[in-house]
Amino acid sequence: MRLADTIGSPRLARIGLAGVLSLVAMGLGALANWRDDHALLINATTSLPNWAFVLDRRKSPERGDIIFFMPPESALLVRHFGRDRHPFGKIVIGAPGDRITAVDRTFVIGGRPVATAKAASRRGEPLALGPTGVLPPGCFFVGTPHPDSFDSRYAAIGWVCRHQILGVGRAIL
């Protein structure tokens, strides 16, 4: 049976076929736009509880979001992770305008302790404390609850600013 027979006229069949093709084309266009604005990322560490994330490149980070970013180039990072840098995923703990202070090796935001820095890495290398002060526009204090998380507590990572951020992640697995 032909489409024209079920619809009743060849003209309606052509209109129906054109409509279906238009919907398919819009769907393909939306998929292409989705690919430009999103990505699938796999987390290979234990610092976050999830291992698969959809990255949204359009969303502005907010406190509590998981962001993925490119860490700065530093000798400490190269020694630990090699010359090929890979994205880090961390939780936004401090947002622009927050005052970050450190009491001994504990970082405090808004009077609340948020993270404690270790004095040395698991390999025994000394770990310098990350920056303190007021977070400037576009910069964030990031971390995870994992005790070995390599994050804003340490100078080698520091604050994560807009130019480093790849996007906001939503856990899917």
Side-chain angles (χ1 to χ4, degrees):
M1 180 177 281
R2 296 178 316 148
L3 184 59
D5 294 336
T6 60
I7 293 179
S9 81
R11 182 170 186 265
L12 283 176
R14 283 192 303 274
I15 292 171
L17 182 58
V20 168
L21 292 175
S22 294
L23 289 173
V24 168
M26 287 189 313
L28 290 174
L31 181 60
N33 288 338
W34 190 89
R35 279 192 11 225
D36 290 343
D37 295 333
H38 296 81
L40 179 64
L41 289 178
I42 303 300
N43 174 36
T45 71
T46 58
S47 66
L48 293 172
N50 302 87
W51 63 270
F53 294 84
V54 170
L55 183 74
D56 186 342
R57 293 183 178 106
R58 297 169 305 166
K59 186 176 184 313
S60 294
E62 298 175 13
R63 191 182 324 276
D65 283 343
I66 295 173
I67 63 170
F68 287 85
F69 62 95
M70 291 308 294
E73 293 184 40
S74 79
L76 185 60
L77 287 172
V78 169
R79 281 197 307 271
H80 282 276
F81 303 105
R83 292 236 171 258
D84 295 332
R85 293 183 308 149
H86 298 284
F88 277 31
K90 304 294 177 189
I91 301 165
V92 173
I93 299 171
D98 287 347
R99 177 171 295 285
I100 312 296
T101 59
V103 178
D104 296 321
R105 295 190 73 85
T106 298
F107 285 84
V108 177
I109 300 175
R112 196 179 101 243
V114 296
T116 300
K118 295 170 33 173
S121 72
R122 290 184 289 181
R123 296 178 180 176
E125 299 160 317
L127 293 169
L129 291 178
T132 57
V134 176
L135 279 166
C139 294
F140 302 89
F141 184 95
V142 300
T144 74
H146 195 284
D148 291 323
S149 179
F150 202 40
D151 52 39
S152 291
R153 296 176 251 200
Y154 304 105
I157 299 296
W159 296 338
V160 176
C161 297
R162 180 78 57 204
H163 69 277
Q164 297 170 263
I165 298 172
L166 302 172
V168 175
R170 182 175 48 86
I172 56 174
L173 291 175

